[in-house]
Amino acid sequence: MSFLSRDAQPSRVLVLNGNPSRETLCGAMAEKIAADARRRGQTVRLVHLEDLSFDANLNQGYRARMEWEPDLKAFADDLIWCDRLVIVHPLWWGSAPAQLKGLFDRVLLPGFGFQYIEGKPLPKPLLAGRKARIVITSDTPTIFLKWIYGNGWVKLLRRQILGFCGFKDLKVKYFAPVRGAKPEALAKMVEAAPAILG
């Protein structure tokens, strides 16, 4: 399907709660984003990482292909289907929870996320024509994430993970600090999360 035909259709939004637990701030945000996208007339698929059963360890690297478990096959189908991916996740040790990183490792493989081309230094992205939106919750104040720590995880997503596989127009929204936030402040964060849709 061409990019133009994607644009002509109602947006297909895949929302991924990348927190390994559903009953979290990220889970509530993902639910709110999905509900808001549906209200706007978009077709939505909502996936909670907690519901996916798969081995997060790519233990053979690229030497031998690990067959996808049914949940990984379904998630790969969702990635092909969507024209916008929204990932909501907490920032743990400056990046993603291990299970979310493992999801990227297992799904975004050569032949699906990208393709090596003989004689070319960079692979061909295979998921082009899609946009990405990232919502990150953190205990670290945003100013520290951007100016002290240098936004390392976002740079990886933009240049070496999602961007590498063809996702464009990656926008990020931070919600921080979460630790110590009062219930009313957390509720406001949930209400504000759908703004990532634009």
Side-chain angles (χ1 to χ4, degrees), residues 16-22 24-27 48-50 88-90 92 97 99-100 137:
L16 171 64
N17 169 23
N19 190 312
S21 178
R22 180 193 292 254
T24 58
L25 176 62
C26 289
H48 290 276
L49 188 60
E50 178 183 68
V88 185
H89 75 82
W92 290 355
Q99 192 175 356
L100 177 56
T137 64

Side-chain angles (χ1 to χ4, degrees), residues 166-180:
F167 286 88
K168 300 294 184 189
D169 192 32
L170 190 145
K171 291 185 169 62
V172 180
K173 187 165 182 61
Y174 289 105
F175 290 91
V178 172
R179 184 172 59 89

Side-chain angles (χ1 to χ4, degrees), residues 59-138:
N59 55 33
Q60 293 295 314
Y62 293 164
R63 294 186 304 276
R65 184 173 178 88
M66 290 176 66
E67 291 303 314
W68 282 340
E69 294 89 341
D71 286 346
L72 287 190
K73 174 66 170 69
F75 184 74
D77 290 344
D78 288 340
L79 282 177
I80 292 169
W81 166 85
C82 79
D83 54 33
R84 183 175 294 188
L85 170 65
V86 181
I87 302 174
V88 185
H89 75 82
L91 197 71
W92 290 355
W93 290 110
S95 66
Q99 192 175 356
L100 177 56
K101 177 60 168 55
L103 181 64
F104 294 150
D105 287 347
R106 290 292 314 282
V107 172
L108 299 177
L109 294 170
F112 180 78
F114 62 94
Q115 185 63 57
Y116 291 117
I117 306 296
E118 188 70 31
K120 301 270 187 178
L122 293 176
K124 176 183 178 182
L126 297 180
L127 294 173
R130 295 162 178 81
K131 296 179 180 180
R133 301 290 184 266
I134 311 294
V135 173
I136 296 175
T137 64
S138 174

